[in-house]
Amino acid sequence: MDVTVLLRCGWGLAIISCIVEFLPLGRLSEVARDFSRRGKLKLSPSPEKPPRFTVPQRWFIHFYVLGTIVNTALLLVVLLFAYACTFPVSARESPFSIMMAQMGGGGSVDAGDGVTSVADLNEHQFPAWSTVLLLAMMELQIFRRLYECSHVFSYSSLARMHLAAYLVGLIFYPAASMTLFTQHFQDKQYVSALRTFVLRRLALPCLHHSLPSVLNPQISLLEYMKSMRGLQWFQWVGLAVFFLGWTQQYRCHMLLASLRSKKAHTGIHGIEKPFSQDKRKADRYEIPRGSWFEWVSCAHYLGEIVLYAGFVIGCGGTNLNIWLLFAWVVGNLSSTALETHVWYKTKFEDYPESRRALLPYIF
């Protein structure tokens, strides 16, 4: 089955599971909501006796380690392909190389001397560079989340998440990266050219224990930067929207972390919480304030929704799988945000009445 169809089915099933959480389906809806709970919504009575089928919330870092490996590999492949499309390297290839390319479904063979040159890739510049842009954006997001998990957050020893949610989290970033990587796979010529490039220019040299001949040493850095001028207006808008959500989510995460750490910098000034050094109060929660938290309870989730909207805009809004990815992010975060909002209002009598769960003045 085509990889894009598999991704579409996967995102569709994930969206259905989010819808179930909002429907009055009794036990089924409650089970679905329980799977998505984490952190303060799923606290263990004690570190020694955690609930069954749960794992520590600090295992979030596994999502970003795996996501970094997969996304970096895909980004490297498509970056080299985009470079080859823009600055082709003239090369002759062996009959074995030709055979491997034909097995992969791409390339053509000259009937003369049994060798051929790489086909002209210039027509695939735009889809290749647009894919590079989206995967580079995802790389920034995953690396930042990896940094936050390892250096910013201090997870409570009581904070847990369901094993099912953990498995979904492991799948999410590889699936998201593959969704961005395959955004132009409806173009069979693009797929054929990419497959041929991977087989001839990357795989075969590795089999022969040599470096791939994919870089043109005659190209200057200035010419390389000029190649980025081909990006369309909606891609620059998508990049701007992504950075808005990216920076705001980071800022909100720093605000949340400052509630647990003795001192953290939020981008404006430091916040000191001396009580966090008291082990008896290490699991204490406070009302987050500042930035988008003045309008919504889950400002960090709102930032994530905004940055994923940048992916939809960056692809021109024409790729169904990226829309489905965005829809699942919105549905998944909306459910958790609503429960978090109720938790805050229940726990704090002085919780601001004007705050909404996720969208200012709306939800």
Side-chain angles (χ1 to χ4, degrees), residues 10 37 96 124 128 130-131 156 190 259 293 328 350 358 362:
R37 292 184 183 121
F96 177 68
H124 303 300
S130 64
T131 304
S156 168
Y190 173 82
L259 300 179
F293 282 113
W328 183 80
D350 59 339
L358 187 61
I362 300 174

Side-chain angles (χ1 to χ4, degrees), residues 24 30 43 75 85 92 95 106 110 122 135 149 164-165 179 197 222 245 249 256 261 273 284 291 332 358:
E30 178 57 31
L43 292 175
L75 176 59
C85 291
R92 305 289 284 179
D110 289 337
N122 188 264
L135 285 175
C149 280
T179 299
F197 172 80
L222 179 60
Q249 188 183 44
L256 289 174
S261 62
K273 296 292 177 183
R284 174 179 170 182
S291 189
N332 179 56
L358 187 61

Side-chain angles (χ1 to χ4, degrees), residues 295-363:
W295 293 285
V296 295
S297 297
C298 297
H300 50 314
Y301 291 169
L302 178 58
E304 186 153 2
I305 288 174
V306 170
L307 71 86
Y308 275 96
F311 289 108
V312 175
I313 299 172
C315 76
T318 59
N319 188 277
L320 177 58
N321 283 3
I322 295 180
W323 272 107
L324 293 175
L325 163 63
F326 176 68
W328 183 80
V329 169
V330 173
N332 179 56
L333 296 181
S334 296
S335 173
T336 306
L338 184 59
E339 290 209 48
T340 302
H341 183 64
V342 173
W343 184 91
Y344 274 126
K345 294 182 71 174
T346 303
K347 187 155 182 84
F348 300 101
E349 295 181 357
D350 59 339
Y351 196 72
E353 289 292 332
S354 60
R355 284 194 195 181
R356 294 294 182 262
L358 187 61
L359 299 177
Y361 311 108
I362 300 174
F363 171 73

Side-chain angles (χ1 to χ4, degrees), residues 11-264:
W11 292 124
L13 290 174
I15 292 170
I16 291 173
S17 70
C18 291
I19 295 174
V20 168
E21 295 183 34
F22 289 96
L23 296 178
L25 299 178
R27 179 62 178 169
L28 181 61
S29 296
E30 178 57 31
V31 169
R33 285 192 289 268
D34 185 62
F35 282 175
S36 65
R37 292 184 183 121
R38 56 187 178 270
K40 55 180 165 287
L41 300 179
K42 203 172 187 66
L43 292 175
S44 172
S46 69
E48 293 77 19
K49 294 182 179 181
R52 290 189 305 169
F53 307 114
T54 64
V55 298
Q57 190 188 15
R58 63 177 178 273
W59 283 16
F60 258 58
I61 195 171
H62 300 168
F63 305 162
Y64 309 117
V65 171
L66 180 59
T68 298
I69 294 172
V70 174
N71 194 82
T72 301
L74 294 176
L75 176 59
L76 181 60
V77 168
V78 76
L79 178 61
L80 292 174
F81 178 64
Y83 185 94
C85 291
T86 309
F87 311 113
V89 179
S90 178
R92 305 289 284 179
E93 300 181 278
S94 67
F96 177 68
S97 172
I98 299 167
M99 180 186 70
M100 289 293 292
Q102 288 180 317
M103 290 174 62
S108 59
V109 181
D110 289 337
D113 56 3
V115 293
T116 186
S117 60
V118 177
D120 183 16
L121 301 176
N122 188 264
E123 61 183 279
H124 303 300
Q125 279 189 63
F126 175 74
W129 282 114
S130 64
T131 304
V132 169
L133 175 65
L134 295 189
L135 285 175
M137 290 158 59
M138 180 61 76
E139 190 84 350
L140 287 173
Q141 171 65 0
I142 298 175
F143 264 114
R144 199 205 77 232
R145 296 294 287 120
L146 180 62
Y147 166 76
E148 289 172 348
C149 280
S150 58
H151 293 89
V152 176
F153 290 132
S154 177
Y155 293 109
S156 168
S157 59
L158 303 179
R160 312 287 293 183
M161 60 179 164
H162 200 280
L163 179 61
Y166 172 72
L167 296 176
V168 170
L170 286 177
I171 296 172
F172 172 73
Y173 280 105
S177 296
M178 280 299 300
T179 299
L180 303 178
F181 181 75
T182 60
Q183 65 165 317
H184 294 292
F185 271 31
Q186 73 277 5
D187 183 348
K188 298 305 179 184
Q189 291 185 343
Y190 173 82
V191 176
S192 178
L194 178 59
R195 182 188 296 118
T196 302
F197 172 80
V198 171
L199 287 171
R200 296 188 184 187
R201 288 289 172 227
L202 300 181
L204 286 176
C206 292
L207 289 175
H208 296 156
H209 304 288
S210 61
L211 293 175
S213 57
V214 294
L215 302 180
N216 191 333
Q218 298 178 349
I219 302 301
S220 67
L221 179 61
L222 179 60
E223 289 177 291
Y224 179 75
M225 296 301 295
K226 286 180 179 178
S227 67
M228 299 298 291
R229 292 180 179 177
L231 295 179
Q232 301 295 311
W233 65 268
F234 59 82
Q235 293 173 309
W236 292 111
V237 173
L239 187 62
V241 171
F242 168 82
F243 272 113
L244 172 63
W246 190 86
T247 54
Q248 283 298 326
Q249 188 183 44
Y250 175 72
R251 187 183 183 196
C252 291
H253 281 164
M254 292 298 291
L255 284 167
L256 289 174
S258 71
L259 300 179
R260 284 185 168 275
S261 62
K262 183 177 180 180
K263 187 176 182 181

